[in-house]
Amino acid sequence: MSSRIILIGPPGAGKGTQAARLSEALGVPAISTGDIFRANVKGETELGKLAKRYMDAGEYVPDEVTNSMVADRLAQDDAAEGFLLDGYPRTSAQVDELDRILAAEDKAIEHVVELTADTDEVVARLLARAQTEGRSDDSEDVIRHRLDVYEEQTQPLTDIYRSRGLLRQVDGLGEVEDITERILSTIR
Ligand code: AMP
């Protein structure tokens, strides 16, 4: 079974956790642009140096940079039969690029799963993650800014996918296992 799925939702909604579990359940790779950027920051690559400035400020990395990175990743063999995108697309220019990449291969997104969670809950989760993971973009100011950027630039994308009939909203609050089941039952 092929699955081409986008996971969308505010920072702290649990996209990364669910992406890993869904990847296992569906047998397709979870592709997280945030993870790819963090690996590049850690490896001190040119891409990492460029991305770090934006990430630390809670801003989006420029579209051209992000788009070409995703185009390369989706061209790899393991993504041929499906993938789960975690954290991409986040802007309308990224939606356009993804459309272009898929159309060129006669492929299409099947589901866009929006994980919903209220702001107080996601701020609390991100502050807790700051304690355990020490991510440099998890300070309270940067967290609030990331949520604003999400609301302005990414939340509107749900309307695009709703109008295409692809949007499935799933409550991101509750037990991790239950949320995975909710997602699997909406996409099956
Ligand atoms: P995440 O782990 O998904 O929260 O991403 C961490 C950071 O990486 C974001 O705050 C952005 O700075 C950057 N990033 C991740 N994905 C994207 C994207 N699709 N477009 C632009 N920047 C991104």
Side-chain angles (χ1 to χ4, degrees), residues 6 63-64 66-75 83 85 88-89 91-109 161 164:
I6 293 171
D63 286 327
E64 315 79 72
T66 307
N67 282 341
S68 75
M69 180 178 91
V70 170
D72 288 349
R73 180 63 188 87
L74 290 180
F83 51 77
L85 284 171
Y88 183 94
T91 65
S92 55
Q94 294 180 12
V95 171
D96 294 345
E97 171 68 1
L98 181 61
D99 286 345
R100 197 194 56 73
I101 294 171
L102 294 176
E105 304 259 319
D106 247 335
K107 291 172 179 165
I109 292 295
Y161 289 117
R164 296 184 189 179

Side-chain angles (χ1 to χ4, degrees), residues 36-45 47-49 51-52 55:
I36 302 175
F37 284 132
R38 278 184 289 279
N40 277 276
V41 170
K42 206 164 169 218
E44 297 180 359
T45 66
L47 174 64
K49 283 177 206 159
K52 186 173 177 1
M55 296 170 80

Side-chain angles (χ1 to χ4, degrees), residues 118-185:
D118 74 44
T119 307
D120 289 345
E121 172 67 21
V122 298
V123 171
R125 286 191 197 176
L126 291 167
L127 287 171
R129 183 173 78 184
Q131 301 281 316
T132 54
E133 292 180 19
R135 264 175 60 163
S136 57
D137 58 351
D138 274 345
S139 70
E140 182 149 7
D141 284 356
V142 176
I143 287 170
R144 299 244 175 232
H145 185 60
R146 284 161 60 212
L147 288 166
D148 288 344
V149 172
Y150 177 82
E151 211 168 289
E152 273 166 35
Q153 300 203 47
T154 307
Q155 181 69 50
L157 306 187
T158 58
D159 293 332
I160 300 177
Y161 289 117
R162 183 182 291 109
S163 72
R164 296 184 189 179
L166 297 178
L167 190 70
R168 332 275 179 237
Q169 286 178 308
V170 173
D171 184 354
L173 287 189
E175 296 297 325
V176 169
E177 295 77 14
D178 296 341
I179 299 166
T180 309
E181 276 315 308
R182 274 177 221 153
I183 298 173
L184 288 172
S185 65

